[in-house]
Amino acid sequence: MSTVTRASLAEHIYTEVGLSRSESVALLEAVLETMSAALESGESVKISGFGTFMVRRKGQRSGRNPKTGVEIPILPRSVISFRPSHILRGAVNGASE
C-alpha cells in the first residue's frame, strides 16, 4: 500500500492532463491553497463524488492524564472532519454503481 503525496498528485496531473510539470505543481498548489483558505474561514469544501471537508467546533471538556489520573481541562478548538460521498464509500467497500 502506498501513500498519495503532493508529488504523486502533480505527476498524475502531468500525465493525465498534459500540463507541464511546473504547471501541474502550480495547479495542485492553487487547489490546495483554495481548499485551505476556505476551511480556515470556516467554510465547508464539497467535492462532488468524493466527499465534504468541514470545520467543527469542539467545546471545552475535561480529560484525564492516563499516566497520573489527574483531571485536566481540554480547551475549545476547531477540528477538520471528512465525510465521504456515497460514491467513494461504495468504491472503497467494493460496490459497483
Side-chain angles (χ1 to χ4, degrees):
M1 180 183 247
S2 64
T3 302
V4 177
T5 62
R6 284 182 182 212
S8 65
L9 287 171
E11 185 65 25
H12 194 71
I13 292 169
Y14 167 72
T15 57
E16 294 295 317
V17 178
L19 297 174
S20 70
R21 280 193 166 88
S22 61
E23 290 172 329
S24 298
V25 170
L27 175 64
L28 176 61
E29 291 301 323
V31 168
L32 294 176
E33 181 59 37
T34 302
M35 290 174 63
S36 296
L39 290 168
E40 286 172 16
S41 66
E43 298 176 57
S44 294
V45 176
K46 182 175 182 175
I47 302 173
S48 182
F50 185 72
T52 304
F53 295 91
M54 60 199 97
V55 178
R56 292 184 326 142
R57 283 292 292 158
K58 291 183 123 183
Q60 183 169 338
R61 58 193 172 97
S62 60
R64 195 174 297 278
N65 182 332
K67 191 171 186 178
T68 63
V70 175
E71 196 168 292
I72 57 170
I74 299 173
L75 300 176
R77 61 193 175 124
S78 296
V79 294
I80 298 173
S81 61
F82 175 73
R83 182 178 173 139
S85 72
H86 69 282
I87 296 170
L88 178 60
R89 196 174 303 127
V92 168
N93 290 321
S96 61
E97 286 189 50

